[in-house]
Structures are given as C-alpha cells and as structure tokens.
Amino acid sequence: LIITDLFSGTPYNAAAELVLKKKAADVVAGMCLPMLLEVAVNANSMDVGQLVSHLMKSKEEFSTSLSEKLTANAKEDDF
C-alpha cells in the first residue's frame, strides 16, 4: 500500500503506475497523521484490501472544513 499526499500529484501518479504494473497493491491519496496511525494500528490485522476499505470509510474523520463546522455550530445554536 502506498499513501500519497495529493490525488493526481507526481507521487500519486508514480505510485499509480506501480499499481498498474502490479508492483504495489494500491495507492491512497490524502495522507495525514491520523491516516498513518490507522494504517500502523491495523496493518498486522488487515490485508491491503481491508485496510483500504477501512481508510475510505474513516476518511471523514481525517478531514473537515471550517464552513461545515460553522454551519454545524450555527444549527446547534438555533436549538
């Protein structure tokens, strides 16, 4: 499994080429510390496919936007 910072950046494209040549199992973009910790914690108990699936299900936990937080806080203040 190769984890890169940005989708379609040079590292991602190089990793994708390795995956297509079957020299790597998969590539995931969006690297951040929480993602790396998830990989480290689960690497011994999951195969690559399971790990990628787990990361894709958990990706909302790894990212956020200010506008979403402000909207959520405004809705909570309305109650």
Side-chain angles (χ1 to χ4, degrees):
L1 177 63
I2 301 171
I3 303 173
T4 64
D5 56 350
L6 299 171
F7 174 76
S8 199
T10 301
Y12 180 89
N13 292 337
E17 189 173 326
L18 291 173
V19 171
L20 293 173
K21 291 180 179 179
K22 305 211 183 298
K23 295 184 178 186
D26 205 344
V27 59
V28 175
M31 179 177 58
C32 61
L33 183 57
M35 180 185 285
L36 293 177
L37 292 173
E38 282 293 320
V39 170
V41 167
N42 294 299
N44 291 329
S45 61
M46 296 180 180
D47 65 27
V48 173
Q50 292 170 323
L51 190 53
V52 170
S53 179
H54 175 71
L55 291 174
M56 294 300 96
K57 289 176 188 170
S58 303
K59 67 184 174 186
E60 288 83 26
E61 296 174 25
F62 305 144
S63 62
T64 188
S65 72
L66 178 60
S67 61
E68 287 180 357
K69 291 292 184 188
L70 292 174
T71 301
N73 286 344
K75 287 180 182 178
E76 287 177 7
D77 290 343
D78 289 341
F79 291 110

XYZ file of all heavy atoms in Angstrom:
590
model
N 0.854 -1.176 0.000
C 0.000 0.000 0.000
C 0.891 1.226 0.000
O 1.814 1.324 0.801
C -0.911 0.000 1.223
C -1.817 1.216 1.397
C -2.800 1.339 0.236
C -2.561 1.114 2.703
N 0.603 2.153 -0.914
C 1.329 3.420 -0.972
C 0.350 4.528 -0.630
O -0.759 4.578 -1.165
C 1.929 3.647 -2.370
C 2.884 2.513 -2.731
C 2.632 5.001 -2.433
C 3.358 2.538 -4.168
N 0.751 5.413 0.271
C -0.080 6.544 0.664
C 0.626 7.819 0.222
O 1.796 8.020 0.526
C -0.321 6.551 2.187
C -0.968 5.236 2.614
C -1.189 7.735 2.577
C -1.091 5.077 4.111
N -0.099 8.675 -0.503
C 0.467 9.923 -1.005
C -0.318 11.114 -0.461
O -1.408 10.947 0.094
C 0.452 9.972 -2.540
O -0.902 9.971 -3.002
C 1.200 8.795 -3.129
N 0.250 12.294 -0.659
C -0.408 13.488 -0.143
C -1.586 13.933 -1.000
O -2.691 14.082 -0.515
C 0.591 14.627 0.050
C 1.360 14.972 -1.213
O 1.276 14.227 -2.199
O 2.059 15.998 -1.203
N -1.378 14.136 -2.296
C -2.421 14.681 -3.156
C -2.801 13.716 -4.268
O -1.940 13.080 -4.870
C -1.939 15.980 -3.813
C -1.575 17.117 -2.885
C -0.919 18.242 -3.674
C -2.797 17.628 -2.157
N -4.083 13.658 -4.554
C -4.552 12.882 -5.686
C -4.071 13.549 -6.973
O -4.167 14.753 -7.123
C -6.082 12.802 -5.678
C -6.638 12.132 -6.894
C -6.570 10.759 -7.017
C -7.223 12.870 -7.907
C -7.081 10.124 -8.136
C -7.732 12.251 -9.026
C -7.662 10.879 -9.146
N -3.526 12.774 -7.853
C -3.081 13.196 -9.174
C -1.813 14.047 -9.165
O -1.447 14.607 -10.183
C -4.203 13.940 -9.917
O -3.942 13.952 -11.296
N -1.142 14.133 -8.020
C 0.169 14.771 -7.973
C 1.220 13.798 -8.478
O 0.947 12.623 -8.741
N 2.452 14.266 -8.611
C 3.530 13.421 -9.124
C 3.720 12.149 -8.301
O 3.819 11.057 -8.884
C 4.832 14.226 -9.225
O 4.607 15.337 -10.097
C 5.965 13.382 -9.767
N 3.772 12.214 -6.969
C 3.935 10.962 -6.203
C 2.771 9.993 -6.424
O 2.973 8.789 -6.548
C 3.995 11.420 -4.746
C 4.458 12.835 -4.823
C 3.841 13.378 -6.075
N 1.551 10.518 -6.484
C 0.387 9.667 -6.717
C 0.475 9.008 -8.090
O 0.234 7.803 -8.231
C -0.909 10.474 -6.606
C -2.142 9.636 -6.841
C -2.763 8.987 -5.784
C -2.666 9.469 -8.111
C -3.879 8.192 -5.986
C -3.782 8.674 -8.329
C -4.385 8.045 -7.262
O -5.487 7.252 -7.466
N 0.805 9.786 -9.098
C 0.889 9.243 -10.456
C 1.967 8.173 -10.566
O 1.765 7.140 -11.219
C 1.136 10.363 -11.465
C -0.059 11.290 -11.588
O -1.181 10.918 -11.289
N 0.192 12.506 -12.021
N 3.102 8.395 -9.921
C 4.169 7.389 -9.939
C 3.717 6.124 -9.214
O 3.980 5.004 -9.677
C 5.431 7.957 -9.301
N 3.030 6.279 -8.092
C 2.523 5.127 -7.348
C 1.453 4.393 -8.146
O 1.412 3.161 -8.162
C 1.982 5.577 -5.997
N 0.592 5.139 -8.819
C -0.456 4.521 -9.636
C 0.161 3.671 -10.746
O -0.340 2.592 -11.061
C -1.367 5.590 -10.226
N 1.254 4.157 -11.304
C 1.952 3.382 -12.337
C 2.465 2.062 -11.768
O 2.371 1.013 -12.413
C 3.111 4.198 -12.900
C 3.761 3.581 -14.102
C 4.805 4.484 -14.739
O 4.626 5.711 -14.721
O 5.806 3.932 -15.232
N 2.985 2.091 -10.539
C 3.439 0.858 -9.893
C 2.274 -0.108 -9.661
O 2.419 -1.317 -9.837
C 4.133 1.169 -8.566
C 5.470 1.886 -8.653
C 5.954 2.267 -7.256
C 6.489 1.018 -9.359
N 1.130 0.431 -9.267
C -0.048 -0.416 -9.040
C -0.486 -1.050 -10.357
O -0.779 -2.250 -10.415
C -1.197 0.393 -8.399
C -2.484 -0.425 -8.363
C -0.814 0.850 -6.993
N -0.513 -0.253 -11.418
C -0.931 -0.781 -12.709
C 0.028 -1.845 -13.243
O -0.385 -2.753 -13.958
C -1.085 0.354 -13.721
C -2.226 1.329 -13.427
C -2.191 2.502 -14.393
C -3.572 0.634 -13.468
N 1.309 -1.744 -12.858
C 2.298 -2.752 -13.251
C 2.358 -3.912 -12.261
O 3.220 -4.770 -12.343
C 3.684 -2.107 -13.364
C 3.807 -1.147 -14.519
C 5.195 -0.544 -14.566
C 5.330 0.409 -15.740
N 6.667 1.030 -15.780
N 1.431 -3.885 -11.283
C 1.325 -4.930 -10.254
C 2.576 -5.037 -9.384
O 2.908 -6.097 -8.888
C 0.969 -6.267 -10.875
C -0.297 -6.214 -11.709
C -1.038 -7.501 -11.709
C -2.251 -7.479 -12.590
N -3.288 -6.565 -12.278
N 3.250 -3.892 -9.175
C 4.411 -3.846 -8.286
C 4.037 -3.276 -6.914
O 4.872 -3.210 -6.023
C 5.527 -3.021 -8.917
C 6.075 -3.660 -10.178
C 7.231 -2.896 -10.739
C 7.765 -3.610 -11.966
N 8.969 -2.996 -12.489
N 2.792 -2.854 -6.770
C 2.245 -2.397 -5.496
C 0.770 -2.764 -5.489
O 0.160 -2.960 -6.551
C 2.423 -0.891 -5.337
N 0.191 -2.876 -4.306
C -1.192 -3.340 -4.201
C -2.214 -2.243 -4.476
O -3.196 -2.454 -5.166
C -1.431 -3.927 -2.818
N -1.999 -1.054 -3.934
C -2.966 0.033 -4.093
C -2.294 1.338 -3.691
O -1.236 1.336 -3.052
C -4.206 -0.211 -3.229
C -5.452 0.482 -3.765
O -5.332 1.386 -4.622
O -6.554 0.119 -3.323
N -2.926 2.450 -4.044
C -2.447 3.768 -3.656
C -3.634 4.568 -3.133
O -4.723 4.514 -3.698
C -1.729 4.499 -4.823
C -2.621 4.673 -6.017
C -1.178 5.843 -4.383
N -3.422 5.254 -2.014
C -4.447 6.079 -1.391
C -3.889 7.490 -1.268
O -2.765 7.682 -0.789
C -4.823 5.532 0.012
C -5.795 6.463 0.717
C -5.398 4.140 -0.089
N -4.663 8.478 -1.689
C -4.258 9.881 -1.577
C -4.903 10.512 -0.346
O -5.932 10.053 0.131
C -4.664 10.644 -2.826
N -4.285 11.556 0.162
C -4.836 12.290 1.305
C -4.107 12.018 2.603
O -4.694 12.067 3.681
N -2.819 11.742 2.512
C -2.043 11.376 3.691
C -2.123 12.454 4.777
O -2.014 13.634 4.514
C -0.577 11.159 3.317
C 0.293 10.791 4.498
S 2.004 10.444 4.041
C 2.501 11.954 3.269
N -2.335 11.986 5.992
C -2.305 12.839 7.177
C -1.938 11.943 8.366
O -1.974 10.721 8.263
C -3.642 13.528 7.395
S -5.026 12.407 7.658
N -1.566 12.546 9.455
C -1.134 11.772 10.620
C -2.203 10.782 11.103
O -1.883 9.622 11.356
C -0.691 12.691 11.751
C -0.144 12.000 12.989
C 1.038 11.103 12.652
C 0.240 13.022 14.043
N -3.476 11.186 11.231
C -4.474 10.193 11.664
C -4.572 8.994 10.722
O -4.743 7.862 11.177
C -5.779 10.986 11.685
C -5.361 12.397 11.898
C -4.060 12.537 11.161
N -4.444 9.231 9.419
C -4.486 8.119 8.467
C -3.299 7.194 8.685
O -3.449 5.973 8.692
C -4.489 8.631 7.023
C -4.521 7.507 5.999
S -4.373 8.073 4.301
C -6.003 8.757 4.045
N -2.122 7.766 8.852
C -0.935 6.943 9.076
C -1.049 6.138 10.358
O -0.630 4.979 10.409
C 0.316 7.814 9.112
C 0.689 8.485 7.792
C 1.917 9.373 7.973
C 0.918 7.464 6.706
N -1.635 6.717 11.386
C -1.844 5.981 12.636
C -2.828 4.829 12.434
O -2.631 3.738 12.983
C -2.320 6.925 13.740
C -1.296 7.949 14.211
C -1.934 8.933 15.189
C -0.094 7.274 14.839
N -3.886 5.054 11.660
C -4.835 3.974 11.350
C -4.128 2.830 10.640
O -4.356 1.667 10.948
C -5.988 4.486 10.486
C -7.039 5.260 11.223
C -7.822 4.413 12.202
O -8.160 3.248 11.893
O -8.103 4.914 13.297
N -3.267 3.168 9.694
C -2.520 2.138 8.967
C -1.607 1.382 9.923
O -1.564 0.154 9.916
C -1.721 2.757 7.799
C -0.770 1.743 7.194
C -2.673 3.304 6.739
N -0.882 2.122 10.762
C 0.054 1.483 11.688
C -0.663 0.552 12.664
O -0.190 -0.552 12.936
C 0.837 2.545 12.461
N -1.803 0.973 13.163
C -2.544 0.178 14.138
C -3.154 -1.069 13.498
O -3.220 -2.124 14.125
C -3.642 1.041 14.810
C -4.632 0.196 15.581
C -3.007 2.087 15.714
N -3.601 -0.955 12.249
C -4.352 -2.040 11.616
C -3.569 -2.872 10.610
O -4.096 -3.861 10.093
C -5.597 -1.461 10.935
C -6.570 -0.902 11.936
O -7.067 -1.619 12.788
N -6.821 0.393 11.857
N -2.339 -2.517 10.326
C -1.577 -3.196 9.266
C -1.389 -4.690 9.522
O -1.405 -5.486 8.580
C -0.220 -2.521 9.089
N -1.233 -5.090 10.757
C -0.999 -6.505 11.062
C -2.270 -7.339 11.124
O -2.214 -8.564 11.084
C -0.232 -6.648 12.374
C 1.191 -6.164 12.252
O 1.795 -6.246 11.191
N 1.730 -5.647 13.348
N -3.419 -6.673 11.231
C -4.671 -7.422 11.364
C -5.553 -7.373 10.117
O -6.593 -8.035 10.082
C -5.463 -6.894 12.567
O -5.794 -5.535 12.381
N -5.156 -6.599 9.104
C -5.953 -6.482 7.884
C -5.060 -6.674 6.667
O -3.901 -6.281 6.690
C -6.583 -5.090 7.782
C -7.566 -4.726 8.843
S -8.197 -3.055 8.548
C -9.309 -2.877 9.915
N -5.647 -7.254 5.604
C -4.897 -7.271 4.347
C -5.063 -5.903 3.677
O -5.812 -5.045 4.165
C -5.325 -8.427 3.450
C -6.763 -8.330 2.958
O -7.311 -7.211 2.837
O -7.350 -9.382 2.670
N -4.388 -5.688 2.571
C -4.393 -4.366 1.931
C -5.802 -3.952 1.526
O -6.205 -2.805 1.743
C -3.437 -4.328 0.721
C -3.555 -3.024 -0.039
C -1.996 -4.533 1.175
N -6.565 -4.855 0.964
C -7.931 -4.523 0.558
C -8.799 -4.095 1.724
O -9.552 -3.114 1.629
N -8.701 -4.818 2.828
C -9.463 -4.460 4.026
C -9.001 -3.120 4.578
O -9.823 -2.305 5.012
C -9.304 -5.539 5.096
C -9.949 -6.850 4.754
C -9.552 -7.947 5.736
O -8.420 -8.001 6.195
N -10.494 -8.831 6.034
N -7.701 -2.895 4.562
C -7.156 -1.650 5.079
C -7.611 -0.459 4.247
O -8.027 0.574 4.797
C -5.631 -1.735 5.120
C -4.875 -0.632 5.850
C -5.384 -0.445 7.267
C -3.388 -0.964 5.864
N -7.578 -0.595 2.934
C -8.039 0.486 2.059
C -9.529 0.752 2.299
O -9.950 1.905 2.417
C -7.761 0.158 0.581
C -8.455 1.146 -0.347
C -6.262 0.145 0.314
N -10.320 -0.290 2.402
C -11.752 -0.136 2.674
C -11.976 0.587 3.995
O -12.809 1.496 4.095
C -12.423 -1.504 2.686
O -13.789 -1.388 2.971
N -11.232 0.205 5.019
C -11.319 0.844 6.336
C -10.957 2.329 6.244
O -11.646 3.178 6.810
C -10.402 0.121 7.328
C -10.317 0.765 8.663
N -11.367 0.755 9.553
C -9.310 1.458 9.261
C -11.008 1.409 10.650
N -9.768 1.839 10.488
N -9.889 2.644 5.518
C -9.480 4.040 5.371
C -10.543 4.859 4.637
O -10.824 5.993 5.012
C -8.150 4.131 4.623
C -6.922 3.624 5.365
C -5.703 3.650 4.444
C -6.661 4.424 6.634
N -11.152 4.280 3.610
C -12.171 5.009 2.854
C -13.422 5.255 3.697
O -14.060 6.284 3.573
C -12.535 4.263 1.569
C -11.411 4.174 0.541
S -10.798 5.784 -0.030
C -9.380 6.038 1.025
N -13.752 4.322 4.583
C -14.895 4.513 5.473
C -14.590 5.545 6.546
O -15.483 6.229 7.029
C -15.282 3.190 6.129
C -15.920 2.209 5.186
C -16.198 0.888 5.886
C -16.654 -0.157 4.901
N -16.709 -1.495 5.493
N -13.317 5.659 6.929
C -12.911 6.548 8.016
C -12.470 7.924 7.547
O -12.171 8.770 8.368
C -11.745 5.918 8.792
O -12.089 4.658 9.274
N -12.438 8.163 6.242
C -11.825 9.396 5.748
C -12.509 10.665 6.244
O -11.854 11.697 6.382
C -11.730 9.393 4.230
C -13.027 9.436 3.495
C -12.786 9.340 2.003
C -14.116 9.240 1.277
N -13.912 9.008 -0.136
N -13.800 10.608 6.550
C -14.469 11.795 7.074
C -13.898 12.210 8.432
O -13.931 13.373 8.795
C -15.977 11.574 7.186
C -16.702 11.549 5.851
C -16.644 10.189 5.178
O -16.498 9.163 5.879
O -16.731 10.164 3.944
N -13.377 11.243 9.168
C -12.765 11.540 10.463
C -11.438 12.270 10.294
O -10.986 12.943 11.200
C -12.522 10.248 11.243
C -13.788 9.510 11.595
C -13.481 8.164 12.241
O -12.404 7.999 12.819
O -14.349 7.271 12.142
N -10.806 12.135 9.119
C -9.489 12.705 8.882
C -9.541 14.122 8.336
O -8.529 14.805 8.302
C -8.688 11.856 7.881
C -8.541 10.419 8.260
C -8.557 9.444 7.292
C -8.381 10.031 9.577
C -8.412 8.107 7.619
C -8.239 8.709 9.919
C -8.251 7.738 8.938
N -10.698 14.549 7.834
C -10.757 15.861 7.203
C -11.987 16.624 7.651
O -12.990 16.043 8.057
C -10.763 15.713 5.677
O -11.911 15.009 5.269
N -11.890 17.922 7.555
C -13.012 18.788 7.908
C -12.830 20.120 7.204
O -11.764 20.412 6.674
C -13.105 18.979 9.442
O -14.306 19.661 9.736
C -11.917 19.743 9.980
N -13.858 20.903 7.188
C -13.753 22.245 6.631
C -14.341 23.241 7.615
O -15.268 22.910 8.370
C -14.477 22.347 5.288
O -15.876 22.320 5.477
N -13.829 24.431 7.612
C -14.310 25.478 8.511
C -15.776 25.775 8.248
O -16.564 25.915 9.190
C -13.455 26.739 8.351
C -13.882 27.931 9.206
C -13.826 27.589 10.688
C -13.024 29.136 8.895
N -16.166 25.849 6.979
C -17.561 26.185 6.661
C -18.524 25.140 7.225
O -19.593 25.498 7.730
C -17.748 26.338 5.153
O -17.434 25.137 4.481
N -18.135 23.845 7.163
C -19.003 22.815 7.736
C -19.113 22.960 9.250
O -20.182 22.791 9.818
C -18.488 21.428 7.379
C -18.715 21.048 5.940
C -18.198 19.651 5.617
O -17.607 18.995 6.500
O -18.384 19.218 4.475
N -18.003 23.258 9.897
C -18.025 23.436 11.350
C -18.871 24.637 11.737
O -19.652 24.582 12.690
C -16.603 23.607 11.900
C -15.774 22.354 11.817
C -16.294 21.298 12.751
C -15.407 20.076 12.729
N -15.969 18.969 13.482
N -18.731 25.748 11.010
C -19.512 26.945 11.321
C -20.993 26.707 11.101
O -21.831 27.143 11.908
C -19.024 28.126 10.479
C -17.618 28.633 10.805
C -17.210 29.714 9.802
C -17.533 29.161 12.223
N -21.341 25.988 10.042
C -22.743 25.678 9.766
C -23.312 24.775 10.853
O -24.421 25.003 11.337
C -22.887 24.991 8.384
O -22.363 25.870 7.393
C -24.325 24.654 8.088
N -22.541 23.765 11.252
C -22.996 22.857 12.318
C -23.182 23.612 13.628
O -24.167 23.393 14.342
C -22.008 21.709 12.486
N -22.242 24.493 13.954
C -22.346 25.264 15.196
C -23.541 26.215 15.153
O -24.231 26.387 16.151
C -21.072 26.062 15.442
C -19.929 25.171 15.890
O -20.130 24.032 16.299
N -18.708 25.692 15.808
N -23.807 26.809 13.999
C -24.955 27.715 13.867
C -26.255 26.942 14.059
O -27.186 27.434 14.697
C -24.929 28.401 12.506
N -26.329 25.734 13.505
C -27.540 24.917 13.670
C -27.724 24.529 15.119
O -28.838 24.504 15.625
C -27.456 23.676 12.784
C -27.639 23.980 11.314
C -27.551 22.723 10.487
C -27.692 23.067 9.010
N -27.557 21.873 8.161
N -26.631 24.215 15.827
C -26.722 23.847 17.242
C -27.168 25.046 18.070
O -27.937 24.894 19.021
C -25.370 23.351 17.744
C -24.996 21.974 17.224
C -23.626 21.547 17.685
O -22.988 22.232 18.512
O -23.154 20.494 17.190
N -26.723 26.245 17.702
C -27.107 27.460 18.431
C -28.576 27.786 18.228
O -29.194 28.454 19.064
C -26.247 28.647 17.994
C -24.800 28.515 18.456
O -24.534 27.692 19.372
O -23.937 29.236 17.910
N -29.182 27.340 17.135
C -30.579 27.603 16.844
C -31.513 26.829 17.770
O -32.676 27.196 17.944
C -30.917 27.272 15.384
C -30.294 28.265 14.415
O -29.915 29.378 14.846
O -30.195 27.925 13.211
N -31.029 25.732 18.350
C -31.883 24.911 19.217
C -31.960 25.451 20.577
O -31.575 25.997 21.319
C -31.384 23.463 19.265
C -31.560 22.749 17.974
C -30.487 22.401 17.173
C -32.835 22.417 17.530
C -30.647 21.726 15.983
C -33.008 21.749 16.338
C -31.907 21.408 15.558
